Amino acid sequence: MSTESGVVVFDPEEFKTMNPQFENVPDALLTNYFNSACLLLDNTKNSPVQDVADRKQLLYLLTCHIATLKARGDTLVGNITSAAEGKVNVGVTPLVNANWYQQTTCGALYWQATAKYRLGVRYFVYRNC
């Protein structure tokens, strides 16, 4: 991890140690999932998550979430809310905000851990005294 530049650098081996269920996933694919996670959580020095160690944990959780969803395959997206047998009918919760993250353990943990960045607006008053 690079702290001087203010960004998290993905380490596939470290990620696999933390998430052994992905040990057989190619490093390049995991790196791609990490890059996708960076689209959802800013990985620059301007990120709302200023602590690089915290941001690393959050990005790894997002990477785990994305990798888990991809491992399930490109099938039904969303949480099943109802099902019927005759003429096959399935109800799915629309993926809005937390619903998308609640599909995996890693995603749910990410959503909970980022609550402090989503709650309310913070105002800072700077005074020249």
Side-chain angles (χ1 to χ4, degrees):
M1 160 175 58
S2 173
T3 55
E4 290 181 28
S5 63
V7 300
V8 175
V9 177
F10 184 65
D11 180 348
E13 291 308 312
E14 178 185 42
F15 179 81
K16 289 177 183 182
T17 299
M18 296 168 64
N19 301 280
Q21 68 270 35
F22 301 116
E23 67 183 3
N24 294 324
V25 178
D27 292 355
L29 190 54
L30 290 175
T31 300
N32 184 43
Y33 296 156
F34 176 81
N35 292 338
S36 295
C38 292
L39 295 173
L40 300 171
L41 175 62
D42 185 2
N43 186 23
T44 69
K45 63 181 180 178
N46 298 320
S47 175
V49 182
Q50 287 293 298
D51 184 292
V52 179
D54 286 353
R55 189 177 337 132
K56 176 182 177 181
Q57 185 68 30
L58 292 171
L59 285 168
Y60 277 30
L61 285 170
L62 266 179
T63 303
C64 173
H65 176 65
I66 293 167
T68 301
L69 291 176
K70 292 302 282 182
R72 291 180 184 168
D74 291 326
T75 57
L76 182 66
V77 177
N79 296 318
I80 296 175
T81 56
S82 64
E85 197 171 321
K87 293 198 177 186
V88 184
N89 184 12
V90 177
V92 180
T93 304
L95 294 177
V96 180
N97 296 326
N99 292 346
W100 184 72
Y101 295 98
Q102 299 296 334
Q103 295 182 89
T104 69
T105 303
C106 293
L109 183 54
Y110 171 84
W111 185 255
Q112 286 302 116
T114 57
K116 63 184 175 184
Y117 301 105
R118 293 189 315 274
L119 299 176
V121 178
R122 296 179 185 166
Y123 291 97
F124 296 95
V125 178
Y126 295 98
R127 298 176 192 229
N128 294 337
C129 295

